[in-house]
Amino acid sequence: MKGFLNLLYADLFKTFSYTKRYIISTSSDVLSFYAIFLVMYLGISSTASGFTTEEFNNMISGQVVGFIVFYFSSMFLTVPDHQLYNEILQGTMEQIILTPHNLITIIFSKTFSLFVRDVLAAIPLFLLLLLTTRVKITMNLSMILIFFLVLAGVFGLSLILGGLMLVFKRLGSLPFIFQILFLGIGFSTIENLPEVLSNIFLSLPFTKGVSMIKGIASTTISFSFLSMDFYFLILNTLLYLVIGIFTLWLCEKIAKNRGLLGAY
């Protein structure tokens, strides 16, 4: 336990040192997310003339929380892939593999440190979104629980991508494709899609959770711990975590046997 806490402290120290050193880069990342939302918001506002004020506020409150979930999910999705890719490029992957900590523990520590940083960065982003849209959002425990379940599922997907990166080195636009899908789901719904596409989107770790969060925020649905949607979300999250951990373990083993961890 002490070793893990030391690892966590080292990653937190490194993350905030980088953030302080490259503050312009960090700030521009937050502003770019805000710019994306602003463009989406202006597009929605221009086509919402037929809505009442209450309907429009409910819709926008759902979009705000959907975008915040996308903001964090986007970060969770790319951490293992980018971190492992950088370690291989820098030639430090072998040292990481030889440490007493297993690879999943190291990835979790890096992801957690970036999550803490992004929570702090999301506070001004969230305030900007509220000031821009002028909506009031009431947070509750059910929304927070669903939020963490979504992130856990996305983390499982990210472990799959991280494992594939160890073996194939470059994944191209694959992580970006998932980010685009998450962004689209965060701003829209899948009810009007063909059944096949709807089922494919529903299988993603982001879809069901963000739909529930948007519904709660816009008061269009009431949350229940006994609902089938909640059980589906838990099962979906567990499946992605189990498959992600197994995929990373298997790909790490394959990469070791092929001698792929020491060079790009």
Side-chain angles (χ1 to χ4, degrees):
M1 185 62 181
K2 183 178 179 181
F4 173 71
L5 291 177
N6 288 335
L7 173 65
L8 203 57
Y9 172 78
D11 277 323
L12 284 169
F13 181 81
K14 179 181 178 181
T15 297
F16 282 96
S17 296
Y18 271 55
T19 301
K20 182 180 178 181
R21 177 64 181 85
Y22 304 109
I23 188 65
I24 298 297
S25 175
T26 304
S27 302
S28 64
D29 288 342
V30 175
L31 290 175
S32 65
F33 274 97
Y34 174 70
I36 292 173
F37 176 84
L38 192 59
V39 171
M40 297 287 189
Y41 171 74
L42 292 175
I44 294 171
S45 301
S46 64
T47 59
S49 57
F51 292 96
T52 65
T53 302
E54 183 179 358
E55 289 174 337
F56 181 74
N57 287 337
N58 287 338
M59 181 177 62
I60 293 301
S61 62
Q63 304 303 334
V64 170
V65 295
F67 188 77
I68 290 295
V69 179
F70 159 74
Y71 171 79
F72 283 101
S73 297
S74 179
M75 183 274 294
F76 264 60
L77 182 67
T78 56
V79 167
D81 174 30
H82 288 177
Q83 289 291 329
L84 295 178
Y85 179 77
N86 288 334
E87 298 293 348
I88 292 175
L89 283 181
Q90 295 167 6
T92 55
M93 191 66 192
E94 284 182 316
Q95 289 89 331
I96 287 179
I97 296 297
L98 294 174
T99 61
H101 305 286
N102 59 52
L103 189 57
I104 292 176
T105 303
I106 293 172
I107 290 176
F108 176 80
S109 177
K110 291 180 180 296
T111 304
F112 179 79
S113 63
L114 290 172
F115 174 71
V116 173
R117 183 202 66 182
D118 283 359
V119 166
L120 297 177
I123 293 175
L125 174 62
F126 189 64
L127 292 175
L128 276 174
L129 296 180
L130 293 182
L131 288 173
T132 301
T133 60
R134 298 181 180 179
V135 299
K136 295 181 180 179
I137 297 175
T138 303
M139 302 294 293
N140 54 48
L141 290 177
S142 60
M143 290 177 63
I144 295 174
L145 175 60
I146 296 171
F147 171 72
F148 280 107
L149 284 173
V150 170
L151 293 187
V154 173
F155 182 66
L157 177 59
S158 72
L159 292 179
I160 296 174
L161 297 178
L164 293 175
M165 199 283 306
L166 289 178
V167 176
F168 299 102
K169 302 303 183 185
R170 288 189 177 184
L171 300 182
S173 299
L174 186 59
F176 179 70
I177 292 172
F178 282 110
Q179 285 181 301
I180 294 298
L181 291 176
F182 289 173
L183 178 61
I185 295 169
F187 273 95
S188 59
T189 60
I190 63 171
E191 282 77 9
N192 297 325
L193 293 175
E195 185 177 357
V196 175
L197 282 178
S198 178
N199 290 332
I200 292 174
F201 277 107
L202 198 60
S203 66
L204 295 175
F206 184 85
T207 310
K208 178 59 68 175
V210 76
S211 176
M212 294 171 67
I213 290 175
K214 287 166 63 177
I216 295 170
S218 60
T219 66
T220 57
I221 66 170
S222 58
F223 174 77
S224 171
F225 288 104
L226 301 178
S227 68
M228 292 303 297
D229 285 343
F230 185 63
Y231 288 139
F232 176 86
L233 178 61
I234 293 176
L235 179 61
N236 184 271
T237 297
L238 290 176
L239 281 175
Y240 270 100
L241 281 175
V242 171
I243 295 173
I245 292 172
F246 175 76
T247 302
L248 182 65
W249 171 81
L250 181 62
C251 289
E252 180 187 356
K253 188 176 181 180
I254 293 172
K256 284 181 179 179
N257 291 335
R258 295 181 182 177
L260 300 175
L261 297 177
Y264 175 61

